[in-house]
Structures are given as structure tokens and as C-alpha cells.
Amino acid sequence: MERSHYLTAPDGTQIWYGTVGRGPALVLCDGLACDGFIWPYVIDRFIDDFTIVRWHYRGHGASSVPKHPEKISLDQMCDDLALVLDALEIDQAILAGHSMGVQVILNFCETHQERVRALIPICGSYKHPLDTFHGSDLMRRVLPYLRRAVDSAPQAIQRTWETVLPRQIWYKVAVQAAEVNGQLLRQQDFLPYLEHASRMDLNFFLSLLSALSLHSAEELLSEIAVPALVIAGENDTFTPMYRSVEMSEMLPNSQLVVVPQGTHVAPLEMPDLVNEAMETFLIKHGLLAPPAHTTSPAQRAPSSS
């Protein structure tokens, strides 16, 4: 059973975090507008080997929206992560990040690399993610107009955002637009993301999106000495595979795994492949004991529902 806790950041923001399992720490860092939907299969696989730490960024899930959402930054979020590790008395941890979580764990290394045992960036970018979203910088150019629209009628637009379409319809749109692989992804695995995203404070969401669009860890990558496993989805339209290839090439001690036909939610589409890659990586670097009997799990390809 997950053990849940809260801490209070210096600015008064309440940060939720939870732990399950036992052993060395494996910290899971979510994507934007996510509160853990991407991690169920990872948790199931590694719960017996690690103390798995989940936490909700400020403005996400069970954590509170900060008093000044327009001032949100990746540095703030990394400070929150340091507070979580302090609260749990964790000196060092393996950090896994999905989507925006890749930017978080890379940025964390800039000031706290001594607290990092290894990095597992999954389906994310190391710089300016809005410049490559769907193969263009259109999202970055449109973002200022979206912010002005929300500022002009915040309550009305927030209500529209929360109620505009049933979540099942958004799932079908995502499948039709090839944002996710409907042949591999179970609908029930994706709906929690849509539910959480619909409850996000839009002012905070757009402020954070702006901060992400300006962030780059490119100059930092060559200074990150810890082992890294970069996992990419072959058909990821949010954070394209070539960004993961570049990241892996610039990290001094890294390897790259590409999930065939995987999209931005590859850990849900091909969980066995992702988990096996993580297991092999962790054993290689002495972070996980090899199993007594080594077998290759059968690749699961769930049907859509």
C-alpha cells in the first residue's frame, strides 16, 4: 500500500508525495498535466526491488497550485524534488522522467548531480519542446495568444476546458490522430491522463508550458556523468525520437532504446519492452541484482478497448 505524505514548500505550496516498496530509491517524475498515469507497469515490475517514490508537481494532482502561478519555473520544481528527497532522508536516487519529467531530471542534475545514481529519460526532450511539437514550432508561436485568451475570460474558458468533450471522445481523437497507438494502448490506461488534464488550472498550465518552451539542458548534457538510459517512442509526435537520439549522443554514459511503433506513451503501449530495458540497464550498472533465473518476458501487445 502506498504511503502518502505532504510537505510545505517555502512559498507555502503543498507538495504531495508517496512511497511504495522497499530498497534503494527510484523516483518517478511525471509529464506535464500528469499525476502518475504513465507508471503503473513500471511500479508493478520494480516494487519488490526499490522504494518507488511518486510525487505531484505543484499545480498537479494532490499538490496545490502556487499563489503566483505565473512565476513557475523548472528550478522551483527541482527545489521541490530536493525537498521530497530530504523529507524521505534519501541521499541518492535513480530518477526516471517521462515527457516534461525528462526536463525536470536533467535540470535537477545541474545543481544536485551528487544525489543522482542514474537517469532514465523516457519520451522527452532536452530542449525547447514546443519547437518540435508535431514537427513544427507552431505551438510555441500560438502560445502567447492562448495566454491572452485565458486572461481575457479565465472563468469561462476554465469551465469550457473542464466540460468541452467526454474523455472517451478525446481518446478516440488521439487514436485517430496517431498521437497514441490504438493497437497497443488500453483505453483505461489513458483515460486517467485526460481526467487529470481537464482539472488543471489553465493559467498555471500555460505558465508552465511557457517555462518549458524556454528551457534547454543542451549545455549541461556533457557534464552529466551518471549512467543514463534514454527511451524513445519511434512514432512520438510530442517529443520526436531524434531528440532522444541527440540526447543519448551528448550524454557521456548513456544508451538508447527505441520502442518500435511506440508513441509518447510507450511505457503503456509496450510495457514489457520498456521494463526489460530498464531491468537490463539497472543490472548492468550494479543498481539491481540479476534474477536467479534469467528469462525474457513475452512481449505483451494489448488490444484497445
Side-chain angles (χ1 to χ4, degrees):
M1 179 178 295
E2 188 169 57
R3 302 171 287 278
S4 295
H5 311 274
Y6 284 89
L7 62 81
T8 303
D11 67 350
T13 304
Q14 294 289 300
I15 304 298
W16 176 89
Y17 61 100
T19 61
V20 68
R22 60 194 307 175
L26 170 61
V27 181
L28 307 179
C29 299
D30 294 321
L32 175 63
C34 303
D35 64 345
F37 90 105
I38 201 73
W39 303 116
Y41 299 109
V42 171
I43 293 171
D44 286 349
R45 166 58 190 85
F46 293 105
I47 192 172
D48 294 328
D49 301 299
F50 295 97
T51 296
I52 297 177
V53 180
R54 294 200 308 121
W55 63 295
H56 292 164
Y57 304 127
R58 48 183 59 218
H60 290 67
S63 296
S64 63
V65 178
K67 293 179 181 178
H68 301 286
E70 70 283 354
K71 295 182 179 179
I72 185 64
S73 69
L74 276 169
D75 287 341
Q76 267 188 329
M77 299 168 79
C78 289
D79 289 343
D80 292 340
L81 174 54
L83 289 174
V84 170
L85 296 181
D86 289 344
L88 292 169
E89 299 183 344
I90 294 172
D91 293 327
Q92 282 192 317
I94 301 161
L95 302 184
H98 170 252
S99 191
M100 178 184 73
V102 171
Q103 292 176 269
V104 172
I105 64 176
L106 292 176
N107 202 60
F108 189 79
C109 283
E110 185 169 12
T111 52
H112 299 286
Q113 188 170 172
E114 75 283 353
R115 304 192 72 170
V116 181
R117 300 184 72 190
L119 294 176
I120 306 177
I122 304 172
C123 299
S125 180
Y126 64 92
K127 70 174 183 178
H128 310 309
L130 297 193
D131 285 2
T132 55
F133 184 79
H134 277 261
S136 80
D137 64 352
L138 178 62
M139 178 62 78
R140 176 178 57 79
R141 291 187 283 115
V142 167
L143 184 58
Y145 300 99
L146 294 176
R147 297 193 69 177
R148 288 175 203 162
V150 171
D151 289 342
S152 68
Q155 294 181 347
I157 293 178
Q158 182 73 39
R159 285 195 300 270
T160 301
W161 172 252
E162 293 172 357
T163 60
V164 64
L165 281 175
R167 309 301 167 241
Q168 289 82 358
I169 294 179
W170 276 118
Y171 170 77
K172 292 178 182 177
V173 169
V175 170
Q176 290 299 317
E179 307 289 5
V180 300
N181 190 324
Q183 298 301 312
L184 299 176
L185 178 67
R186 295 178 187 270
Q187 180 176 331
Q188 62 265 34
D189 285 342
F190 191 64
L191 290 181
Y193 164 71
L194 298 175
E195 292 289 346
H196 177 259
S198 71
R199 297 192 301 270
M200 286 281 293
D201 179 283
L202 271 181
N203 183 32
F204 175 82
F205 175 86
L206 293 175
S207 295
L208 180 53
L209 197 59
S210 295
L212 295 177
S213 72
L214 299 173
H215 173 260
S216 173
E218 184 168 6
E219 295 183 358
L220 171 66
L221 293 181
S222 63
E223 305 299 321
I224 297 177
V226 300
L229 171 66
V230 180
I231 300 176
E234 181 184 26
N235 298 328
D236 190 341
T237 59
F238 281 57
T239 52
M241 182 180 70
Y242 70 81
R243 280 291 195 232
S244 293
V245 174
E246 293 170 353
M247 178 168 34
S248 181
E249 290 174 347
M250 286 186 279
L251 287 165
N253 188 13
S254 76
Q255 64 186 84
L256 173 70
V257 170
V258 176
V259 179
Q261 304 179 57
T263 69
H264 197 57
V265 294
L268 297 178
E269 295 166 331
M270 302 282 273
D272 291 336
L273 189 155
V274 170
N275 286 344
E276 186 173 8
M278 290 177 60
E279 178 182 338
T280 301
F281 167 77
L282 293 169
I283 291 172
K284 174 183 177 182
H285 292 282
L287 301 170
L288 176 67
H293 301 286
T294 304
T295 57
S296 298
Q299 179 62 44
R300 183 176 67 80
S303 59
S304 59
S305 57

